[in-house]
Each structure stands twice: as C-alpha cells, then as structure tokens.
C-alpha cells in the first residue's frame, strides 16, 4: 500500500488540512493518507501546542467520515525533537509492506535542503507537493523540481492558518466555517484557545 504522510501540529486541524488530505486521497496514486500529529516541531515553540492527545482527538473527529484518511500518533513515542527522517526510518521498519511518501507544501519544499538527512529522504521516498502562495522564488526549489521523486500535484491553494484560527477564538470571533463541525464542537466544549 502506498501511504502519503501529511505531517503537522494540527493545532487545530481545519478545513484547509482536510481539503489537501482529501485531494491527495482522491486525485493521486496514494492509497491512504495518514495525518501524522507532530508532538513537537523543532521550528515551533512548544508552549502554543494543545496536549498531544487533544490534537489527536481533533484530527480523529475531523477524519471520521473520510475512509481514506487516518489520524496517526506514530511520532508520540519517538525521541524528541521529531525529525522526519527518523520517523520514516521507524515506519519503514515497523511496516515494511508499505511504501511511505511525504506530502508537503511548496513552502516546505523550498527549505527541504535544511532538513536533517534530506538526501536520504529523497533517495528512499517520493514527495508529493501541493501549491502555496509564495512571495519569493528560490533556486533550491528549481533544482528540486527536476528530481523525479518529487511530484507537483495540482491541488487547491488553501490559505487558512491554525495560528489565525487560535487568535480568532481568543478574540471571540466566529471562525466556525474554518473548522470541521466536530472539531469546532470539541474546541468549544473544552474551552480551548481562549
């Protein structure tokens, strides 16, 4: 089985994440999409994160009606900080029958050369890239685009930010349209981000 790994802190998961995950589930050769909840991204401050299990619950609620999309806690028990190369090595060992691919935005592709062991990742895994609105072009991106393990997928451009949603909730704004209904209900019930 060919599984697309869509990593994120999902703090909170929103309709933009679902639009991207569902697009790859329906319009690529990936059989399943695993939304991998990252406990701690080395490039983000941890204090802004909801507890791991709450973020897992939010993703679980969001993908309940999408049979090709699953919530994954695979990184919860791995050493921190989590590096994608370590997670991929762990998955390859635990599930040798599956082929794992990465799903990332164009913005992440531009910084891929800064990732730990990025050459090893490229050597062993395909990367599926969705468009993002970008301010600048980068030579690195053009070089990577010529790599036959990188696939640019025509997907909707979704500019919804978890940061903006957290701020909106804190400011008492109605951001319900940006969240799947069960996610909004859980956040509201638990009084998160206020």
């Amino acid at each position: 089985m060919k599984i697309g790994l869509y990593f994120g802190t999902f703090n909170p998961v929103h309709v933009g994440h679902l639009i991207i995950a569902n697009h790859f589930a329906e319009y690529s050769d990936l059989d399943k999409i695993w939304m991998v909840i990252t406990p701690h991204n080395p490039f983000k401050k941890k204090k802004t994160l909801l507890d791991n299990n709450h973020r897992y619950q939010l993703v679980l609620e969001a993908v309940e009606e999408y049979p090709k999309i699953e919530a994954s806690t695979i990184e919860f028990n791995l050493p921190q900080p989590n590096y994608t190369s370590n997670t991929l090595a762990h998955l390859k060992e635990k599930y040798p029958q599956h082929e794992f691919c990465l799903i990332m935005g164009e913005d992440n592709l531009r910084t891929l050369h800064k990732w730990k062991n990025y050459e090893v990742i490229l050597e062993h895994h395909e990367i599926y890239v969705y468009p993002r609105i970008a301010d600048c072009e980068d030579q690195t991106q053009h070089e990577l685009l010529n790599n036959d393990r990188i696939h640019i997928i025509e997907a909707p451009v979704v500019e919804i930010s978890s940061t903006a949603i957290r701020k909106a909730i804190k400011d008492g704004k109605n951001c319900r349209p940006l969240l799947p209904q069960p996610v909004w209900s859980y956040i509201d019930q638990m009084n998160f981000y206020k």
Side-chain angles (χ1 to χ4, degrees), residues 1-13:
M1 189 178 288
K2 198 170 187 180
I3 296 171
L5 302 173
Y6 185 12
F7 289 86
T9 49
F10 302 117
N11 187 38
V13 61

Side-chain angles (χ1 to χ4, degrees), residues 63-124:
V63 303
E64 189 175 4
E65 295 181 10
Y66 296 84
K68 294 180 182 177
I69 307 172
E70 295 177 14
S72 171
T73 59
I74 197 76
E75 290 198 324
F76 285 12
N77 298 315
L78 295 179
Q80 298 210 10
N82 295 93
Y83 290 104
T84 304
S85 57
N86 297 350
T87 303
L88 289 167
H90 174 77
L91 285 169
K92 203 171 178 181
E93 189 178 302
K94 187 168 181 176
Y95 303 102
Q97 73 277 25
H98 295 323
E99 179 185 347
F100 291 99
C101 307
L102 292 181
I103 295 173
M104 68 173 64
E106 264 181 308
D107 50 341
N108 283 324
L109 181 63
R110 278 196 301 278
T111 59
L112 184 65
H113 64 285
K114 296 178 182 175
W115 288 26
K116 182 182 176 187
N117 299 330
Y118 87 95
E119 300 97 334
V120 177
I121 293 173
L122 265 176
E123 189 181 331
H124 297 285

Side-chain angles (χ1 to χ4, degrees), residues 8-95:
T9 49
F10 302 117
N11 187 38
V13 61
H14 53 66
V15 295
H17 294 131
L18 279 184
I19 289 167
I20 296 296
N22 185 66
H23 189 85
F24 279 92
E26 298 296 335
Y27 296 99
S28 75
D29 62 347
L30 298 170
D31 300 305
K32 282 255 186 198
I33 308 300
W34 288 4
M35 294 180 75
V36 181
I37 299 104
T38 306
H40 172 56
N41 180 327
F43 302 107
K44 292 186 180 177
K45 291 180 182 165
K46 196 167 184 175
K47 66 178 183 176
T48 62
L49 291 183
L50 281 185
D51 175 78
N52 292 343
N53 291 319
H54 285 304
R55 287 182 295 115
Y56 170 65
Q57 190 60 42
L58 289 174
V59 175
L60 206 56
E61 300 270 348
V63 303
E64 189 175 4
E65 295 181 10
Y66 296 84
K68 294 180 182 177
I69 307 172
E70 295 177 14
S72 171
T73 59
I74 197 76
E75 290 198 324
F76 285 12
N77 298 315
L78 295 179
Q80 298 210 10
N82 295 93
Y83 290 104
T84 304
S85 57
N86 297 350
T87 303
L88 289 167
H90 174 77
L91 285 169
K92 203 171 178 181
E93 189 178 302
K94 187 168 181 176
Y95 303 102

Side-chain angles (χ1 to χ4, degrees), residues 131-182:
R132 296 294 291 259
I133 294 173
D135 295 331
C136 60
E137 290 292 319
D138 187 323
Q139 191 58 38
T140 310
Q141 182 185 10
H142 292 299
E143 290 167 14
L144 286 171
L145 290 179
N146 293 327
N147 189 308
D148 62 359
R149 298 188 70 72
I150 294 179
H151 312 287
I152 307 296
I153 304 296
E154 290 296 321
V157 175
V158 182
E159 292 296 316
I160 301 173
S161 132
S162 294
T163 304
I165 290 172
R166 290 194 305 272
K167 183 177 182 335
I169 292 171
K170 186 177 181 184
D171 294 345
K173 307 285 186 201
N174 181 0
C175 59
R176 288 171 70 174
L178 303 177
L179 298 161
Q181 179 55 47

